[in-house]
RNA sequence: GGCGACGUAGCCAAGUGGUUAAGGCGGGGGUCUGCAAAACCCCUAUUCGGCGGUUCGAAUCCGCCCGUCGCCUCCA
C-alpha cells in the first residue's frame, strides 16, 4: 500500500511502526456551530482510509479530538448566554448523530481538550524545562526559533512568513511567530489551574497531548484537512518533537482537499456553507459519499445540488445491481474487478478508479443476471467492496419512508396491478403518474412491481 | 508579494512518456415492455487551457503565457 505523505511531498510505501497495528489520529472539529459538508468530507475521507486499512488486515486504532475550549466557543457561548461546556456538548452530540447518518465508523476515542489538561500541562512544563517554551504574564509561548525544522511540513521558513506581513504584534512574544501553548484566563472565561496561573490551553497543544496519550510518541497516520497544515500541524510537530527529543510525530501526514461551494472554500468564518443536515434532508448519505469519493481525496470537491443528484443516481445504479437475481448458469467471477479495485485503493486511496471498477462490476452483474448466470459471488464482492470498504450503506429508499406513507404507496401499487391485469392501462398509468409525483418510481417484473423513492 | 495545487467531452472526474484517453451524470439511437421505468447494446474528447521546446513518440517532461483555487489569520 502506498500513501502520499505531505511532509515528504511524495507517495511512499506504507508500513506501520508496529506490524499490523495502524495508529491513526485525525484532527476533529471545534464544536461551536453546526457541522457542514466540508466536515463530512474530512470524516468520510478518513473513514475510507480506515475501512481500507481494516479490509487489508490492519488493526486500526483511530482517535479524533474535539476542541471544546477556544475563543469562538467562548464568544458563541456568551452570545447565547449558555455555559461553554453545554454549547460544546450540544454540538458534539449533534456531530455524533451526523456521523452515524453518514455511515462513518466511530473512532475508538474522541478525547475532548478540556479532559486533557493535565497531559497538556505536563507537555508544556516539559517544553519550558527544555527551553523550548517560555512563560510571559500568565501565557506560555512556544519558541519557534528553537525548533530547527519549523516550517518543514508547510514548506515555508520563518523569513518567508514574515514577508506575508500580516502578523499581529504581541508584546509578550519574543518572536512574532511564537504561538500560545497556554493562555492566561480573562475574567469570566472557563479556566484551569496551572503553574503559570489560571488559564486555558492553546489550540495546538491538545493534539500533541492526545496523540501521545492515546497512541504514543509516533503515529502511523496523522490526518486532517489541508487547511490545518499551517499553522496547526506545523505547530503540533514543533511542540511534540521538541517534547519527544526529536522523535517524529507521525510517519505519514495525510490531508484531504477542501469542499468548495461555487468557486470558494466552504468555511464557517465566511459563512458560505451547506450543513450536513441540509444535505441529508435533500439527498442520501450515499450520494454525499459518492460525490466526495468521485474525486481524489487530495483534490477539492465542489458541492452542488445537481452534482449531489447525479451522485445519487450513480449509487442507485450500484444498488440496482445488488438487487437483481441471476440464475443457475455460469458463475460470474468478480476477481478481476476486485483486483482492480484493490490496486486502486492501495495506490493512495484512488477512490475514483476504485469506483470505476465497481461500476464495471455492476454492469457485468446485470448482464450476467439477464443471461441467467450465477451472480451471487459477484454481488457479494460488490456488497463487500462498495459497502465495507467504500462505506456505502446501500440503504433501500423504502427504509426511510414512514410506515403510513409506505402503506399508501403499496395500496396504489396494488390497485395499479389489478388494473393492469384487467388491461385497463390508462387508469394504471394514471396511478403511475400519481406515484411519480410522489417521487416514487416503479419497476415492473414478472413477480410484480417494485417501488422505490427516486431521492 | 511568497509558497503550493489545478485547468481532460455538455457536466463531474481518472489517467502523468508508447495499444482504441477509465468511470459516473446528461444526451441520441436500439433491445425489452401494453406503454414506461430499470437493465442491456451502440453512439456522444482524432484530443487533453494557449504558444513554443525536448523526444522516434507527450494529455503526461521543460519554458513562457492565460485562467482558477488553496495556504501565508480562526478554519475539516
Amino acid at each position: 500500500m502506498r500513501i502520499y505523505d505531505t511532509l515528504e511531498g511524495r507517495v511512499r510505501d506504507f508500513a506501520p511502526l508496529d506490524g499490523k497495528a495502524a495508529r491513526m489520529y485525525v484532527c476533529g472539529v471545534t464544536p461551536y456551530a453546526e457541522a457542514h459538508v466540508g466536515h463530512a468530507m474530512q470524516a468520510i475521507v478518513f473513514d475510507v482510509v480506515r475501512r481500507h486499512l481494516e479490509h487489508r488486515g490492519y488493526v486500526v486504532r483511530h482517535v479524533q479530538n474535539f476542541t471544546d475550549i477556544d475563543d469562538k466557543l467562548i464568544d458563541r457561548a456568551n452570545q447565547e448566554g449558555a455555559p461553554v461546556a453545554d454549547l460544546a456538548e450540544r454540538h458534539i452530540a449533534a456531530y455524533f448523530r451526523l456521523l452515524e447518518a453518514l455511515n462513518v465508523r466511530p473512532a475508538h476515542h474522541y478525547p475532548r481538550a478540556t479532559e486533557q489538561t493535565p497531559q497538556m500541562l505536563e507537555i508544556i512544563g516539559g517544553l519550558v524545562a527544555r527551553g523550548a517554551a517560555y512563560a510571559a504574564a500568565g501565557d506560555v509561548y512556544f519558541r519557534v526559533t528553537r525548533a530547527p525544522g519549523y516550517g518543514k511540513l508547510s514548506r515555508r521558513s520563518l523569513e518567508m512568513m514574515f514577508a506575508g506581513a500580516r502578523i499581529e504584534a504581541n508584546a509578550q512574544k519574543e518572536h512574532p511567530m511564537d504561538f500560545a501553548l497556554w493562555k492566561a484566563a480573562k475574567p469570566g472565561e472557563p479556566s484551569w489551574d496551572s503553574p503559570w496561573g489560571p488559564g486555558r490551553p492553546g489550540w495546538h497543544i491538545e493534539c500533541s497531548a492526545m496523540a501521545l496519550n492515546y497512541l504514543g510518541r509516533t503515529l502511523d497516520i496523522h490526518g486532517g484537512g489541508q487547511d490545518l497544515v499551517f499553522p496547526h500541524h506545523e505547530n503540533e510537530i514543533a511542540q511534540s518533537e521538541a517534547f519527544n527529543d526529536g522523535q517524529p510525530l507521525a510517519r505519514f501526514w495525510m490531508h484531504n482537499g477542501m469542499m468548495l461551494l461555487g468557486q470558494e472554500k466552504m468555511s464557517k468564518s465566511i459563512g458560505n456553507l451547506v450543513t450536513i443536515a441540509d444535505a441529508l434532508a435533500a439527498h442520501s448519505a450515499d450520494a454525499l459519499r459518492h460525490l466526495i469519493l468521485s474525486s481524489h481525496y487530495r483534490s477539492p470537491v465542489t458541492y452542488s445540488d445537481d452534482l449531489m443528484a447525479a451522485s445519487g443516481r450513480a449509487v442507485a445504479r450500484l444498488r440496482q445491481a445488488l438487487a437483481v437475481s441471476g440464475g443457475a448458469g455460469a458463475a460470474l467471477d468478480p476477481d478481476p474487478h476486485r483486483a482492480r479495485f484493490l490496486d486502486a485503493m492501495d495506490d493512495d486511496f484512488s477512490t475514483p478508479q476504485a469506483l470505476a471498477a465497481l461500476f464495471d462490476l455492476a454492469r457485468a452483474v446485470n448482464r450476467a443476471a439477464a443471461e441467467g448466470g450465477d451472480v451471487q459471488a459477484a454481488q457479494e464482492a460488490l456488497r463487500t467492496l462498495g459497502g465495507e470498504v467504500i462505506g456505502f450503506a446501500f440503504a433501500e429508499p423504502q427504509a426511510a419512508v414512514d410506515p403510513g406513507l409506505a402503506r399508501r404507496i403499496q395500496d396504489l401499487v396494488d390497485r395499479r396491478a389489478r388494473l393492469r391485469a384487467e388491461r385497463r392501462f390508462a387508469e394504471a398509468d394514471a396511478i403511475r403518474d400519481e406515484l411519480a409525483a410522489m417521487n416514487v418510481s416503479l419497476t415492473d417484473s414478472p413477480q410484480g412491481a417494485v417501488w422505490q423513492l427516486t431521492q
Side-chain angles (χ1 to χ4, degrees), chain A residues 1 19-22 50-60:
Chain A
M1 190 179 302
K20 280 291 186 185
R50 161 152 169 212
R51 285 168 176 275
H52 183 58
L53 286 168
E54 289 181 340
H55 187 71
R56 282 308 210 180
Y58 292 101
V59 178
V60 178

Side-chain angles (χ1 to χ4, degrees), chain A residues 329-398:
Chain A
L332 174 63
D333 177 12
D335 283 349
H337 296 95
R338 190 201 316 272
R340 206 175 126 212
F341 176 94
L342 293 174
D343 281 351
M345 292 299 287
D346 283 348
D347 184 14
D348 195 29
F349 308 99
S350 183
T351 53
Q353 294 180 74
L355 287 173
L358 294 187
F359 284 108
D360 284 342
L361 175 56
R363 171 175 287 108
V365 165
N366 286 328
R367 184 165 21 190
E371 290 165 0
D374 176 355
V375 295
Q376 286 195 19
Q379 285 175 314
E380 187 60 39
L382 182 56
R383 188 172 288 286
T384 299
L385 301 177
E388 286 181 22
V389 183
I390 291 296
F392 288 133
F394 291 132
E396 292 302 326
Q398 289 100 314

Side-chain angles (χ1 to χ4, degrees), chain A residues 127 130-134 141-153 156-159 161 174-175 177-179 181 233-243 245-246:
Chain A
L127 291 172
R130 285 164 168 78
Y134 57 94
Y141 293 99
F142 186 86
R143 195 171 260 142
V144 291
T145 50
R146 288 288 294 272
Y150 193 73
K152 65 185 177 183
L153 184 70
R156 60 190 76 183
S157 63
L158 288 173
E159 301 78 65
M161 287 184 272
E174 291 177 4
H175 186 286
M177 295 305 293
D178 287 349
F179 56 90
L181 298 169
H233 289 163
E234 194 70 61
N235 291 352
E236 274 186 50
I237 289 176
Q239 66 203 181
S240 284
E241 296 186 359
F243 184 71
D245 303 314

Side-chain angles (χ1 to χ4, degrees), chain A residues 25-75:
Chain A
Y25 184 91
V26 181
C27 285
V29 298
T30 302
Y32 77 91
E34 210 180 331
H36 59 71
V37 292
H39 299 118
M41 177 166 178
Q42 180 256 31
I44 286 169
V45 163
F46 287 100
D47 183 49
V48 171
V49 167
R50 161 152 169 212
R51 285 168 176 275
H52 183 58
L53 286 168
E54 289 181 340
H55 187 71
R56 282 308 210 180
Y58 292 101
V59 178
V60 178
R61 264 173 70 86
H62 174 191
V63 176
Q64 180 167 325
N65 68 300
F66 284 110
T67 305
D68 63 343
I69 180 71
D70 95 317
D71 291 346
K72 292 195 169 160
L73 222 30
I74 292 168
D75 289 348

Side-chain angles (χ1 to χ4, degrees), chain A residues 259-281:
Chain A
M259 182 71 85
L260 312 180
L261 192 63
Q263 285 277 315
E264 268 186 319
K265 177 185 148 188
M266 202 175 277
S267 77
K268 284 187 280 197
S269 46
I270 303 175
N272 63 325
L273 52 81
V274 174
T275 65
I276 297 172
D278 283 347
L280 293 184

